[in-house]
Amino acid sequence: MSAKDRRLAELRGSIPEIDPIDAAALQARGAVLIDVREPDEIAAGSPVGAERIVRGFLELKVENAVPDPKTTVLCLCAGGVRSLFAAEGLRTLGYEDVRSVRGGFNRWKTDQLPIEVPARLDDDARERFSRHMLMPEVGEKGQLRLLESKVLCIGAGGLGSPVALYLAAAGVGTIGIVDDDVVDRSNLQRQIVHTDARVGESKVSSARETLTALWPKANVVGFETRLTSDNVDEIFGQGWDVVVDGSDNFPTRYLVNDACVKHAIPNVHGSIFRFEGQATVFWPTRPAADGQRGPCYRCLYAEPPPPELAPSCAEAGVLGVLPGVIGLLEAVETVKIVLGIGKPLVGRLLTYDALEQRFTELQLEPDPGCAYCAPGKPFPGYVDYVQACAAPAAVAAATS
């Protein structure tokens, strides 16, 4: 008997082997099936619901897929040999119940058990998003989720510019932009998605040109219109995973909030004024980390303030770099929500003082009597606040 055969005999004597049909039954009851084959093998098919970790990286990455060493783990390769070595490695790491699938994927197919052809990143995406691929919280699965996601940006101005740029850079597959404005030279101090050569051009068109120059495969869906109560349901009803509010006027903010509540879409909110900014996530349909639901915008401000108490950036000015800080916070929250990682700013308001270089976090509570997001209350409809907020600068633009 060769050294190889002796080694395999030793492994088969110490590692329990299980038939594919029994493995599928255990998987249905909570066991984790790990396909340890190479990517080119997995590209032809893999068991439905399997974790796919190439054998060479198994010991390095398994804890992210199976954090509890008491979990039953089933290792699968092509024919049932590599899975024995994989199972031995997991035992060395302290996993208590590790088994090898007899006959591997070849027998899995012969037994007509369910398989799927996993979506895969192409070579361009693997190179472009390689730094994401190194992070276990993202990896190929997370990057594919980003590529399949749809994010709607309200405005291509001061806040919308960094949001859209970094979402495109991160690989968000479809980016919607709502803006009816054109590029003005005064925008360029802060609206970095535009250029001097595009003054007078529609902001949607200008933003699309910049985003596709950064990532040619970005799908930029433009809505060259002002968001109104007449079109908000049509625009918001197109399957967006997240809405990012980059508006700077109260009619739009309330409309975005109310539509997000109605359509159960997380609303990543940001606002800026002179040297100060704030960011939060309004998502009352998702419980916060402490088990309590988060508020909506109306829980904080049931009605808009008088125009004289809320001057716009056009009236009061804004530090040009400030939208970059707040917009990037919005982009970070958006990516976290799409990936389902971390703790989003639900029920928390993060404020920023640029002069003091200080962040402060405030806790936000939902209003149990909120007319829009309180559980069990019917949606009361949209309110047109344009006339109530009719100070010229307050309604002149939808973006900061």
Side-chain angles (χ1 to χ4, degrees):
M1 180 182 294
S2 68
K4 174 185 173 182
D5 290 338
R6 284 196 300 271
R7 181 67 178 130
L8 287 176
E10 290 174 2
L11 287 174
R12 288 195 167 101
S14 61
I15 302 294
E17 292 185 281
I18 184 172
D19 290 335
I21 291 177
D22 295 328
L26 280 176
Q27 183 190 20
R29 296 200 296 270
V32 177
L33 177 64
I34 300 180
D35 190 336
V36 301
R37 294 176 299 150
E38 297 296 319
D40 59 333
E41 296 177 283
I42 290 174
S46 179
V48 171
E51 295 288 340
R52 288 128 195 165
I53 308 175
V54 66
R55 173 67 191 96
F57 289 95
L58 181 62
E59 286 84 355
L60 295 176
K61 296 185 176 182
V62 67
E63 289 186 7
N64 297 302
V66 192
D68 185 357
K70 297 182 181 298
T71 302
T72 298
V73 180
L74 313 171
C75 295
L76 175 141
C77 63
V81 174
R82 279 174 290 172
S83 57
L84 288 168
F85 290 94
E88 181 189 39
L90 294 184
R91 274 193 168 183
T92 302
L93 288 179
Y95 286 88
E96 299 175 7
D97 184 8
V98 187
R99 313 180 197 186
S100 174
V101 179
R102 186 181 289 110
F105 185 65
N106 294 332
R107 185 167 167 187
W108 187 281
K109 290 191 298 181
T110 300
D111 290 346
Q112 298 183 337
L113 294 168
I115 65 173
E116 60 186 356
V117 177
R120 294 187 65 211
L121 299 175
D122 59 25
D123 291 340
D124 174 80
R126 287 181 176 277
E127 181 179 4
R128 180 179 295 271
F129 306 116
S130 61
R131 299 306 186 269
H132 275 173
M133 303 290 286
L134 296 173
M135 303 172 66
E137 296 86 354
V138 184
E140 182 166 9
K141 185 182 295 185
Q143 191 60 55
L144 286 167
R145 188 176 298 175
L146 286 168
L147 292 170
E148 294 166 357
S149 67
K150 298 178 63 177
V151 176
L152 180 65
C153 297
I154 309 302
L159 292 172
S161 289
V163 169
L165 275 169
Y166 269 93
L167 293 184
V172 169
T174 299
I175 301 172
I177 300 176
V178 183
D179 202 311
D180 70 336
D181 203 2
V182 298
V183 179
D184 184 84
R185 189 159 279 111
S186 67
N187 301 149
L188 302 180
Q189 164 246 20
R190 63 202 178 281
Q191 299 182 15
I192 59 174
V193 80
H194 310 300
T195 67
D196 190 77
R198 298 181 203 151
V199 170
E201 184 178 333
S202 112
K203 286 187 177 179
V204 167
S205 175
S206 174
R208 179 186 289 111
E209 188 172 347
T210 298
L211 299 185
T212 54
L214 176 64
W215 181 33
K217 293 183 180 179
N219 178 29
V220 181
V221 180
F223 301 91
E224 295 185 4
T225 182
R226 177 174 291 276
L227 195 67
T228 69
S229 57
D230 293 327
N231 62 22
V232 68
D233 280 334
E234 178 184 355
I235 293 174
F236 277 48
Q238 297 185 23
W240 306 103
D241 298 298
V242 182
V243 170
V244 184
D245 187 0
S247 63
D248 79 340
N249 65 82
F250 286 106
T252 304
R253 288 175 185 166
Y254 281 95
L255 189 57
V256 169
N257 173 80
D258 300 348
C260 282
V261 171
K262 180 180 179 180
H263 292 270
I265 307 172
N267 172 13
V268 178
H269 173 83
S271 61
I272 53 175
F273 179 73
R274 290 174 57 82
F275 297 96
E276 300 174 353
Q278 58 185 29
T280 187
V281 175
F282 296 118
W283 196 1
T285 57
R286 175 197 182 275
D290 59 2
Q292 301 298 316
R293 70 182 185 89
C296 77
Y297 188 68
R298 287 186 182 272
C299 292
L300 277 65
Y301 314 106
E303 300 290 336
E308 63 271 15
L309 297 182
S312 70
C313 293
E315 294 174 310
V318 61
L319 185 67
V321 298
L322 178 64
V325 176
I326 304 302
L328 292 183
L329 291 174
E330 290 186 279
V332 168
E333 290 302 297
T334 300
V335 170
K336 284 163 53 182
I337 291 170
V338 170
L339 293 176
I341 61 175
K343 181 181 179 182
L345 285 171
V346 175
R348 298 184 294 149
L349 180 70
L350 191 62
T351 67
Y352 175 64
D353 183 337
L355 289 179
E356 296 294 331
Q357 200 65 278
R358 178 183 296 125
F359 284 96
T360 304
E361 182 177 306
L362 305 174
Q363 295 298 310
L364 304 178
E365 297 294 335
D367 178 1
C370 179
Y372 280 78
C373 76
K377 290 203 173 186
F379 183 74
Y382 299 117
V383 179
D384 188 351
Y385 287 115
V386 172
Q387 295 304 317
C389 304
V395 297
T399 57
S400 54

